[in-house]
Amino acid sequence: MKAKITVSLTLLSALLLVGLMAFEPQVRQYYGGARVAPYRFIVMQPADMNRAIAMTEARIERDRTSGLERAGLASLYIARGKLNGDVADYDKAREIAKASLKLLPFSNTGAKVDLALIAEARHEFKDAIRLANEVLKERPGAEGYSILVTAYLAMGDLDQAAYYAEKLCAKKPSLGNLALRGLVMNAMGRDVEAESDFIHALSLEDAGEMQESAWVRSLLARFYLKQGRVSDAEDLLRETLRIVPQYPLALDLQGQCLLQRKEFKAAADKFFEAFTVSRQLPYFRNYGKATELMGNLQLAKEVLHQGEKTMRRELASGQYGHRVELAQLLLDRGDSSAVKEAIGLVQDELKIRHNVETLRVLARAYIKAHEWAQGQEAIQKALQTGLHDPGLYHYAAVIESGLKNSERVRLYQSLGKKTNPSYFEVSE
């Protein structure tokens, strides 16, 4: 009798567990969990990247002739570099991928994909495109198309990015690929299609894709934040950080949400945490801006000085330093020599990346310099992409005010309010 009861209780427990798993999103929705895009799978511990690297290196030690094993190791170093922001991992990956191709010059698309991803990280977009096309000749598939999408998007060639995004999704309509197309649609101002792609992408997520699931939720949260849907963005970001704790992009976006709510101390804490986890200097700059808004001007000045010093060191290395990020810090400093240098840096960057973000910073630089006609040219080029962004409309209104065009000031203020009624500009 006891045995029958024990078996029945065990069966009941199993059925209850299955039921809870089946209704996990709904349970979370009504008991304090995610409302916008609940994660449908049990959250697992993320893979230990260091352990995976060590195990792969041990296998290579046993078989020094394996080109494919080296290509896999390079991929692991790239993945770790994306997480921790350490450019040394990209350098190591590049060295290993080249060694892989030397050992196995044919049928080794994995190593070429690795080198293309590293080229993108170094802003060597033409090399990334060349390598992606080589990959597609050898093995037509999603990897090559995704590199082409991101490279053309970074360069500001939205037509080419959209063309390859369609090919990518036709080839493999997956979580990451649909999200890439959503990014392109968003950049072109096709917001309905962008939101549809992000949501469709999340409907296709699978267990074990936690990093991608976190990335796509962060993209959708950023999309909603630009529209003033702060609560929806915050809901997505909480779920993102439940899936991948301390995911740096999500932490930074949480800080952006808190800025919109004018909770500057909490925002500063989020930005600092994002920087601590990833060592990415844009997060450190955001931390400095938040401390300035808190009224701690001395700390903000120290953050600005340290960030500028580090950026200059990276640029001097000639590899991973980003001119636009240094230009932003110089504009934060605001003196005439810094503004002049910032304009030169951004103009140089436009030769490589003629995208909306570079044009945005150029417009900001011309605002600082009170060079209204040049600022108008820059902001109009950014607006011609079709992107609906309250920050762009804010800059456009400031520039038109400088040109004494009151009617156009009202136009851009109206467009900004329509895009995001509660937008709080922190760049000026």
Side-chain angles (χ1 to χ4, degrees):
M1 183 66 177
K2 283 184 179 180
K4 285 184 179 179
I5 292 171
T6 302
V7 170
S8 298
L9 288 172
T10 303
L11 181 60
L12 182 62
S13 298
L15 289 171
L16 182 60
L17 178 60
V18 170
L20 285 172
M21 287 171 63
F23 290 98
E24 186 184 5
Q26 289 86 344
V27 169
R28 261 201 314 282
Q29 180 174 338
Y30 292 109
Y31 291 92
R35 170 177 50 81
V36 177
Y39 187 61
R40 301 188 305 277
F41 308 98
I42 294 174
V43 175
M44 298 176 289
Q45 287 289 348
D48 186 337
M49 199 71 70
N50 295 331
R51 185 167 179 268
I53 287 172
M55 290 172 63
T56 308
E57 286 177 334
R59 288 198 298 271
I60 289 171
E61 278 296 313
R62 292 193 296 271
D63 181 7
R64 291 178 172 270
T65 63
S66 175
L68 291 177
E69 200 76 74
R70 278 175 168 77
L73 179 61
S75 297
L76 288 171
Y77 271 108
I78 291 169
R80 192 172 75 177
K82 286 180 180 178
L83 287 175
N84 62 21
D86 189 350
V87 298
D89 278 341
Y90 286 106
D91 289 336
K92 184 73 173 175
R94 193 167 184 246
E95 175 189 326
I96 294 166
K98 285 184 173 180
S100 172
L101 278 173
K102 191 173 181 181
L103 283 168
L104 187 63
F106 305 104
S107 301
N108 191 358
T109 54
K112 288 186 177 179
V113 168
D114 292 334
L115 288 172
L117 292 171
I118 295 162
E120 284 192 325
R122 293 162 64 102
H123 287 190
E124 297 167 353
F125 299 115
K126 289 183 179 178
D127 281 345
I129 289 167
R130 174 182 57 79
L131 287 161
N133 283 319
E134 287 181 18
V135 168
L136 287 169
K137 285 179 183 176
E138 293 175 16
R139 188 177 69 194
E143 290 171 319
Y145 287 130
S146 66
I147 292 166
L148 289 173
V149 173
T150 51
Y152 280 117
L153 186 59
M155 292 169 66
D157 191 338
L158 299 184
D159 289 338
Q160 282 290 87
Y163 172 76
Y164 286 111
E166 293 298 339
K167 281 186 168 291
L168 175 66
C169 291
K171 191 77 177 176
K172 187 179 181 183
S174 65
L175 170 66
N177 295 344
L178 281 163
L180 273 182
R181 190 173 68 180
L183 278 175
V184 177
M185 295 299 103
N186 181 39
M188 299 176 83
R190 293 160 62 174
D191 291 350
V192 173
E193 291 160 280
E195 183 176 11
S196 175
D197 272 343
F198 290 140
I199 292 170
H200 187 192
L202 289 171
S203 75
L204 296 178
E205 68 185 343
D206 204 351
E209 296 182 308
M210 289 181 294
Q211 289 291 334
E212 274 199 319
S213 291
W215 176 62
V216 178
R217 278 177 176 78
S218 297
L219 296 182
L220 183 56
R222 185 173 64 188
F223 177 81
Y224 285 154
L225 182 57
K226 292 284 186 183
Q227 297 178 340
R229 296 169 61 179
V230 179
S231 294
D232 288 342
E234 287 173 331
D235 184 76
L236 281 160
L237 294 169
R238 280 192 296 270
E239 188 72 341
T240 298
L241 291 166
R242 191 182 72 84
I243 301 165
V244 181
Q246 291 194 304
Y247 188 65
L249 177 57
L251 291 169
D252 179 73
L253 287 167
Q254 279 191 328
Q256 300 289 350
C257 290
L258 289 162
L259 282 186
Q260 293 301 308
R261 295 191 182 282
K262 301 185 181 181
E263 297 178 25
F264 303 132
K265 173 64 170 65
D269 291 343
K270 289 294 180 183
F271 292 138
F272 191 75
E273 186 179 358
F275 171 71
T276 302
V277 171
S278 69
R279 313 309 293 177
Q280 295 292 313
L281 283 168
Y283 302 151
F284 192 56
R285 174 182 175 258
N286 288 343
Y287 169 64
K289 293 297 292 182
T291 58
E292 183 182 345
L293 289 165
M294 285 165 53
N296 193 337
L297 301 184
Q298 183 57 40
L299 178 57
K301 187 176 179 180
E302 289 171 9
V303 170
L304 177 61
H305 174 72
Q306 188 59 46
E308 183 181 333
K309 184 179 174 182
T310 306
M311 285 278 189
R312 288 190 184 281
R313 187 169 61 245
E314 286 191 1
L315 270 175
S317 74
Q319 295 178 355
Y320 299 95
H322 298 163
R323 297 181 188 89
V324 170
E325 283 78 1
L326 176 57
Q328 288 276 50
L329 287 168
L330 290 168
L331 294 173
D332 291 343
R333 204 173 84 194
D335 58 84
S336 58
S337 62
V339 172
K340 184 178 179 180
E341 184 184 358
I343 290 172
L345 285 167
V346 181
Q347 286 174 335
D348 285 342
E349 187 69 12
L350 276 172
K351 297 170 187 174
I352 303 168
R353 288 196 301 168
H354 203 278
N355 63 14
V356 72
E357 293 308 315
T358 312
L359 289 164
R360 181 200 302 270
V361 179
L362 184 59
R364 183 185 174 215
Y366 283 133
I367 289 170
K368 288 280 189 180
H370 291 185
E371 295 181 10
W372 307 116
Q374 293 93 323
Q376 187 185 54
E377 183 181 355
I379 203 67
Q380 287 303 315
K381 286 179 180 176
L383 290 170
Q384 283 166 15
T385 63
L387 178 65
H388 301 131
D389 184 288
L392 291 182
Y393 294 131
H394 169 77
Y395 285 163
V398 171
I399 289 165
E400 295 300 336
S401 178
L403 291 167
K404 312 298 183 187
N405 294 330
S406 56
E407 189 174 331
R408 292 179 71 86
V409 171
R410 289 193 293 273
L411 168 66
Y412 290 120
Q413 287 175 338
S414 172
L415 288 169
K417 284 289 183 185
K418 185 178 178 182
T419 304
N420 181 348
S422 59
Y423 180 66
F424 173 63
E425 171 60 44
V426 297
S427 293
E428 293 302 313

